[in-house]
Amino acid sequence: MPELESFSLDPASPADWSAVRLQGHRMLDDLFDHLERIRERPVWQPIPADVRTAFDTPLPADPVPLAVAHERFMTQVLPYAVGNTHPRFMGWVHGGGTVEGMLAEMLAAGLNANLGGRDQMPLEVERQIVRWMRDLFGFPATAGGLLVTGSSMANLIGVLVARTRALGVGSRETGVADPALGRPLVAYAAASAHGCVAQAFAISGLGTQALRRVPVDADHRMDLTALRRQIAADRAAGLRPFLVVGTAGTVDTGAIDDLDALADLAQREQVWFHIDGAFGALGMLSPEVAPRLRGIERADSVALDFHKWGQVPYDAGFILVRDQADQLATFASPAAYLARHPRGLAAGSPWPCDLGPDLSRGFRALKVWFTLVTHGTDRLGAAIAQSCRLARRLQARITAQPALALLAPVSLNIVCFRYLDPVEDGHTRDEVATDRFNAELVADLHESGLAVPSTTTLGGRTAIRVALVNHRTEAADLDVLLDAVVRLGARRHRLAANPSSPESAFDPVFSCETAP
Amino acid sequence: MPELESFSLDPASPADWSAVRLQGHRMLDDLFDHLERIRERPVWQPIPADVRTAFDTPLPADPVPLAVAHERFMTQVLPYAVGNTHPRFMGWVHGGGTVEGMLAEMLAAGLNANLGGRDQMPLEVERQIVRWMRDLFGFPATAGGLLVTGSSMANLIGVLVARTRALGVGSRETGVADPALGRPLVAYAAASAHGCVAQAFAISGLGTQALRRVPVDADHRMDLTALRRQIAADRAAGLRPFLVVGTAGTVDTGAIDDLDALADLAQREQVWFHIDGAFGALGMLSPEVAPRLRGIERADSVALDFHKWGQVPYDAGFILVRDQADQLATFASPAAYLARHPRGLAAGSPWPCDLGPDLSRGFRALKVWFTLVTHGTDRLGAAIAQSCRLARRLQARITAQPALALLAPVSLNIVCFRYLDPVEDGHTRDEVATDRFNAELVADLHESGLAVPSTTTLGGRTAIRVALVNHRTEAADLDVLLDAVVRLGARRHRLAANPSSPESAFDPVFSCETAP
């Protein structure tokens, strides 16, 4: 047969390799420039219409030079990202990333490892992360763990493991509708628990109604009396409680459930105790925060994200399970993993694909490992403690400012407040109008590029929500935020009082000169 | 209050930034060196005991220099990876990656975007990928899509969307056990379908028994007569067929189900038609392969991996759904996504978190976009066609070699064969011994570092399985593989005949001199 022509997507000659190398180094320098000068940029800016539509083109048959793709990234993508690397990004709960994490991800992409299984050192790096988390959370040597995209996936795994523990391995075959499985399952989480917990119940086929939302107390923590009452009522109604989900750091206010009391209750009620510690669990790295997490060491499973307080680049979620055997029972196919070869590349069972739903898995462990070793847990813990100190400082400034009202106690690193539309002529404040006012004010802030908080709803009221997660945020950044809130709020108020004013509701106030 | 000390994990001074930059460029150069000289390395090598245990140390309180972390990566991780970047990696189904994909991942890590939602250009890049896939597969403008880790997750999403379509949105609340939902659901896939499809049934609470495994024909494709018969029997038994899963490229042999016939049947039976196209679906990029996928344009959903034939670095799976409304019905919380702000960073609904289970999502889209634009679909398609040509060439060489037997027709890019332990003295061949012999032979090959096929079981027999996916593989690499199989097989056979021979069963034969 005629010999096949050679073909590859690699650079075709040493000269082509040199050109690609040069271009790659330029790209890396652009990233360094971006991060070193991050304060000179707006946090976020609206996407111009022509930039948005630049990514609506036909599937490209022919190649474009790497330099062109790079240029498009620099001019059309990077300037219009969410901005969570910026010190004045304070919205949602996003980590800031680090240079070391970025470089580790570059190494991982070059190695192009699939961590679904096989006998390879990348898996030993992931197992190192599992052992470290086991030790950090005081879990026993039997514990298993797995890196996943984020806590939505980690919480789903927690629910599935608890479900299998309650219904038995046979339920993987029969499904959850099998009448032989007995009384219907019910679980419990605080009303303030993250929506992904309910989503896990939808995905698992148990249904969101099987997740009872327990009221919270004044500190936004699960009300334990209400929880006990609900469990008793469910048992009396012929249902089967199987899981309590505690939260270590709610998204709304950063509240931490009384984990030790929940562990007592779970033990007494003989139910699985899962903790959604998406951003709060890594508080264990800080000696100031760790005592507030007491009881986490008694959980059956913990979900957390390294890309939040851990500052690892997205995405890097994690699930820790007290006994790896429960993970294997939930996900492994014994026929597959027991049949693996004792030597060669197919050795090294069990594999991550036996412990969770993914068979294709990037090398997330490397950026986590690089972040932990090149910064060390003391510094990472100090960054976490600093977030909490900044939150307390912000709280003090808000309390001192008559135009602003604090909406929830500052528990950790999240501050919820609102701008008070002044009450004219002694009339009652219109709360609905104030809600709308604050939502528009936050959009003004976004468009100003000065600072990016998000909003949330607390007790039915719209709050400006500041989550301090980025290790780059400093005290002066909080001042920029508050000054902008007061200034933009006053402008919006003046406009409301005098709609015919020539002053625009929104005036882009960002400039590199005014930013600190 | 006393002012807070500044704190950040960034380099502390311009001099520190310079040092990190220098180190980062060294790391990038090491990756370029690795990829440019990949042929000089063994594909895989066993992990020395001291290297394996190097990653069993306590959680580090103090930082180590970035250079030290890099050195450990270069000496303890990179040399002991799976080896799928290597041209003679032919195991499982792994892509080879490209330099451009690696650089894109570096950019994504520096940007550190979370693609769960918000109004940001990274999402427009992902939407570009969705539109491109919609066009590639001939899907309508209503189609939705989402990047995920891999096809295990994409297939799970397909099953969940089909489940919600069959049971209604209310089933997210009631769960699948609600008697009001009517007759129990059943679905169908070939016996040769990937295990993750059954896993999706376990996760979804429907149970693996609800997935009927339909026998395959001599070409390893789903037997349509058997499928029709099974559906009729299930309907007669009071069950409710809701989903047929076709496979475009089975893992064992690369077989493609008759997708057009399955589309006809799904239409007639009024069931959802999902296609697991994990590696085969991107055959659409090759004019030689695309006609074999006829019918894929009629699917309700398609799962695929860009990190296989698409050569994008791990992980980069994708789900395409004919009508995005079905994705929203399955995953979105209407209360959340309809309430989003019309402007500012919280605009731009619907978000990816409304279309799948993840809220934390890395910027996978960038490496997919870079790979597609810097190579173009013609070249990517040519790489796919080349894999199939190489498979036919390998088939011809195996057929010509008396010590080897082909075990399945070569359908696409996968070749299954075995070494025939010679029949001594006219005795019947011991099939069980031959199975064991071939499994050991594959482990010998792995340990030789010369070439890495994997194994599979076909008709109860152990096969040496070669999956040609890596764009770097050339005809000469197949010769190295076959020569090694014959040489190591003969050695192993001599040893079996004369166990007291001083010749070792395994002798590491790799050397840079003998490798082409």
Side-chain angles (χ1 to χ4, degrees):
Chain A
M1 74 199 310
E3 203 42 274
L4 289 173
E5 273 182 60
S6 279
F7 181 95
S8 116
L9 301 175
D10 280 340
S13 67
D16 286 350
W17 272 104
S18 296
V20 168
R21 279 175 186 255
L22 188 63
Q23 183 60 37
H25 285 290
R26 279 191 194 129
M27 293 158 86
L28 182 54
D29 265 327
D30 277 353
L31 288 174
F32 280 126
D33 289 349
H34 172 70
L35 290 172
E36 188 168 359
R37 298 179 200 149
I38 188 80
R39 287 187 169 277
E40 297 168 21
R41 308 184 68 90
V43 184
W44 178 82
Q45 51 188 334
I47 303 170
D50 63 325
V51 171
R52 198 187 289 274
T53 55
F55 287 84
D56 191 2
T57 61
L59 191 57
D62 298 317
V64 307
L66 179 59
V68 171
H70 173 210
E71 175 70 14
R72 291 195 59 192
F73 173 79
M74 291 307 296
T75 58
Q76 298 177 329
V77 179
L78 179 139
Y80 307 104
V82 162
N84 50 297
T85 51
H86 196 290
R88 283 191 303 281
F89 183 91
M90 304 157 180
W92 298 274
V93 181
H94 285 31
T98 66
V99 172
E100 294 79 7
M102 171 186 86
L103 294 172
E105 189 77 327
M106 172 186 86
L107 295 177
L111 191 63
N112 192 25
N114 173 12
L115 274 78
R118 312 333 146 208
D119 194 25
Q120 52 170 327
M121 278 307 291
L123 282 186
E124 296 299 331
V125 179
E126 179 154 349
R127 287 174 184 138
Q128 173 74 94
I129 305 301
V130 174
R131 284 188 293 266
W132 282 347
M133 290 305 106
R134 186 186 75 190
D135 294 348
L136 182 66
F137 290 100
F139 269 44
T142 52
L146 195 68
L147 281 159
V148 292
T149 46
S151 283
S152 295
M153 199 50 64
N155 283 323
L156 173 60
I157 291 175
V159 168
L160 292 171
V161 171
R163 183 189 81 179
T164 306
R165 180 64 177 255
L167 298 180
V169 177
S171 65
R172 290 171 63 186
E173 293 168 27
T174 62
V176 299
D178 181 10
L181 293 172
R183 293 166 294 143
L185 300 183
V186 276
Y188 308 85
S192 55
H194 194 278
C196 71
V197 178
Q199 182 76 287
F201 275 78
I203 291 172
S204 69
L206 295 171
T208 56
Q209 288 171 0
L211 179 69
R212 309 297 195 191
R213 307 305 291 262
V214 181
V216 294
D217 61 21
D219 291 332
H220 296 260
R221 293 148 53 109
M222 195 172 354
D223 179 332
L224 295 173
T225 308
L227 171 61
R228 275 188 292 267
R229 200 178 300 130
Q230 182 70 53
I231 291 177
D234 285 335
R235 288 202 194 278
L239 302 172
R240 180 179 171 196
F242 81 109
L243 166 68
V244 170
V245 180
T247 301
T250 62
V251 282
D252 283 345
T253 67
I256 301 172
D257 285 335
D258 185 339
L259 303 179
D260 215 32
L262 286 179
D264 285 341
L265 180 142
Q267 196 169 13
R268 204 165 49 236
E269 298 280 352
Q270 301 265 303
V271 300
W272 189 271
F273 179 30
H274 173 77
I275 294 177
D276 174 9
F279 87 87
L282 282 184
M284 288 300 284
L285 292 170
S286 158
E288 291 173 47
V289 176
R292 317 242 342 255
L293 295 163
R294 196 162 57 89
I296 202 167
E297 74 284 355
R298 299 171 63 193
D300 292 301
S301 49
V302 177
L304 64 91
D305 284 324
F306 287 107
H307 52 237
K308 291 183 169 121
W309 254 351
Q311 313 293 344
V312 172
Y314 277 88
D315 43 39
F318 187 75
I319 176 77
L320 185 68
V321 177
R322 177 165 295 274
D323 190 342
Q324 183 179 265
D326 288 317
Q327 265 181 294
L328 285 167
T330 307
F331 293 104
S333 158
Y337 88 90
L338 295 177
R340 285 186 196 129
H341 208 270
R343 66 186 181 92
L345 190 41
S349 257
W351 292 347
C353 64
D354 304 320
L355 304 172
D358 286 316
L359 279 87
S360 292
R361 308 174 65 247
F363 193 3
R364 286 172 186 77
L366 194 67
K367 59 191 174 185
V368 178
W369 185 83
F370 260 75
T371 302
L372 284 165
V373 302
T374 64
H375 293 290
T377 54
D378 284 355
R379 268 166 67 77
L380 291 169
I384 289 169
Q386 178 84 349
S387 310
C388 299
R389 271 184 229 118
L390 287 169
R392 290 194 295 272
R393 183 183 185 281
L394 180 61
Q395 172 181 239
R397 281 215 54 193
I398 289 167
T399 311
Q401 169 59 260
L404 306 178
L406 201 71
L407 288 198
V410 172
S411 161
L412 216 55
N413 61 331
I414 295 180
V415 184
C416 291
F417 65 103
R418 69 194 321 205
Y419 186 92
L420 295 172
D421 207 9
V423 183
E424 303 285 349
D425 309 322
H427 289 309
T428 312
R429 180 168 281 123
D430 179 343
E431 295 284 5
V432 173
T434 305
D435 285 349
R436 206 167 43 233
F437 185 97
N438 277 275
E440 293 299 331
L441 179 53
V442 165
D444 290 347
L445 279 164
H446 292 178
E447 294 182 355
S448 79
L450 280 172
V452 167
S454 50
T455 60
T456 193
T457 305
L458 286 178
R461 302 269 65 92
T462 299
I464 303 175
R465 177 179 159 287
V466 171
L468 296 159
V469 184
N470 189 319
H471 61 93
R472 298 184 180 100
T473 305
E474 298 178 354
D477 295 313
L478 305 179
D479 297 342
V480 173
L481 165 76
L482 279 193
D483 292 350
V485 166
V486 171
R487 186 152 46 95
L488 290 172
R491 184 209 307 268
R492 188 164 273 285
H493 179 65
R494 283 196 304 276
L495 188 81
N498 179 15
S500 63
S501 154
E503 183 177 45
S504 156
F506 170 67
D507 176 22
V509 290
F510 176 81
S511 92
C512 296
E513 280 71 43
T514 59
Chain B
M1 73 198 311
E3 203 42 90
L4 288 174
E5 272 182 61
S6 280
F7 180 93
S8 117
L9 301 175
D10 280 340
S13 68
D16 286 351
W17 272 104
S18 296
V20 167
R21 279 176 186 254
L22 187 63
Q23 182 61 37
H25 285 290
R26 279 192 193 129
M27 292 159 86
L28 182 54
D29 265 327
D30 277 352
L31 288 174
F32 280 126
D33 288 349
H34 172 69
L35 291 172
E36 189 169 357
R37 298 180 200 148
I38 187 82
R39 286 186 170 277
E40 297 169 21
R41 309 184 67 92
V43 185
W44 178 81
Q45 52 187 333
I47 303 170
D50 62 326
V51 170
R52 196 186 290 273
T53 54
F55 287 83
D56 190 3
T57 61
L59 191 57
D62 298 316
V64 306
L66 179 58
V68 171
H70 173 211
E71 173 72 14
R72 291 195 59 190
F73 173 79
M74 291 307 296
T75 57
Q76 298 177 328
V77 178
L78 180 139
Y80 307 103
V82 161
N84 49 299
T85 51
H86 196 290
R88 284 193 301 283
F89 183 90
M90 305 158 181
W92 299 274
V93 180
H94 285 31
T98 66
V99 172
E100 294 80 7
M102 171 185 86
L103 293 172
E105 188 79 327
M106 172 185 85
L107 295 177
L111 191 63
N112 192 25
N114 173 12
L115 274 78
R118 302 352 135 201
D119 195 24
Q120 52 170 327
M121 278 307 290
L123 283 185
E124 296 299 331
V125 179
E126 179 154 349
R127 287 174 184 136
Q128 173 72 97
I129 305 300
V130 174
R131 284 188 293 266
W132 282 347
M133 290 305 107
R134 187 186 75 188
D135 295 347
L136 182 66
F137 290 101
F139 270 44
T142 52
L146 196 68
L147 282 160
V148 292
T149 46
S151 283
S152 295
M153 199 49 64
N155 284 322
L156 172 61
I157 291 174
V159 168
L160 293 172
V161 172
R163 184 190 80 179
T164 307
R165 180 64 176 255
L167 297 181
V169 177
S171 64
R172 289 170 63 187
E173 293 167 28
T174 61
V176 299
D178 181 9
L181 293 173
R183 294 165 295 143
L185 300 182
V186 275
Y188 309 85
S192 55
H194 194 278
C196 71
V197 178
Q199 182 76 287
F201 275 78
I203 291 172
S204 69
L206 295 171
T208 55
Q209 288 171 0
L211 179 69
R212 309 296 193 193
R213 305 305 292 261
V214 181
V216 293
D217 62 20
D219 291 332
H220 296 261
R221 293 148 54 109
M222 196 171 355
D223 179 331
L224 294 173
T225 308
L227 171 61
R228 274 188 292 266
R229 200 177 300 132
Q230 181 72 53
I231 291 177
D234 285 335
R235 288 203 194 278
L239 302 172
R240 181 179 172 197
F242 80 110
L243 166 67
V244 171
V245 180
T247 301
T250 60
V251 282
D252 283 344
T253 67
I256 301 171
D257 284 336
D258 185 340
L259 303 179
D260 215 32
L262 286 178
D264 286 340
L265 180 141
Q267 198 170 11
R268 206 165 46 238
E269 298 280 354
Q270 301 264 302
V271 300
W272 190 271
F273 179 30
H274 174 77
I275 294 177
D276 175 10
F279 87 88
L282 283 184
M284 289 300 284
L285 293 170
S286 159
E288 292 174 48
V289 176
R292 317 239 347 249
L293 295 163
R294 197 162 57 88
I296 202 167
E297 73 284 355
R298 299 172 63 195
D300 293 301
S301 49
V302 178
L304 63 91
D305 285 323
F306 288 107
H307 52 235
K308 291 183 169 121
W309 253 351
Q311 313 293 344
V312 172
Y314 277 89
D315 43 40
F318 187 76
I319 177 76
L320 185 68
V321 177
R322 177 165 294 274
D323 190 341
Q324 183 180 264
D326 288 318
Q327 265 181 293
L328 285 168
T330 307
F331 294 104
S333 159
Y337 89 92
L338 294 177
R340 285 186 196 129
H341 207 270
R343 66 186 180 93
L345 190 41
S349 259
W351 292 348
C353 65
D354 304 319
L355 304 172
D358 285 315
L359 279 88
S360 292
R361 306 175 65 247
F363 193 3
R364 285 172 187 78
L366 194 66
K367 59 190 174 185
V368 178
W369 186 83
F370 260 75
T371 302
L372 284 164
V373 302
T374 63
H375 293 290
T377 55
D378 285 355
R379 270 166 66 78
L380 291 169
I384 289 168
Q386 178 84 347
S387 309
C388 299
R389 271 184 231 120
L390 287 169
R392 291 193 296 272
R393 184 183 186 280
L394 181 61
Q395 172 182 237
R397 281 213 55 191
I398 288 166
T399 311
Q401 168 59 261
L404 306 178
L406 201 70
L407 288 198
V410 172
S411 161
L412 216 55
N413 62 331
I414 295 179
V415 185
C416 292
F417 66 103
R418 70 195 319 203
Y419 186 91
L420 295 172
D421 207 9
V423 183
E424 302 285 350
D425 309 323
H427 289 310
T428 312
R429 179 168 284 122
D430 179 343
E431 295 284 4
V432 173
T434 306
D435 286 350
R436 206 166 44 232
F437 186 96
N438 278 275
E440 294 298 332
L441 179 52
V442 166
D444 290 347
L445 279 163
H446 291 177
E447 294 182 355
S448 79
L450 279 171
V452 166
S454 51
T455 60
T456 193
T457 305
L458 286 177
R461 301 270 65 92
T462 299
I464 302 174
R465 177 178 159 287
V466 171
L468 295 160
V469 184
N470 190 319
H471 61 92
R472 298 184 180 100
T473 306
E474 299 178 355
D477 295 313
L478 305 179
D479 298 342
V480 173
L481 166 76
L482 280 193
D483 292 349
V485 166
V486 171
R487 188 152 46 95
L488 291 172
R491 187 209 305 268
R492 187 163 274 285
H493 179 65
R494 284 196 303 277
L495 189 81
N498 180 13
S500 62
S501 152
E503 182 176 45
S504 155
F506 170 67
D507 175 23
V509 290
F510 176 80
S511 91
C512 297
E513 280 70 42
T514 59

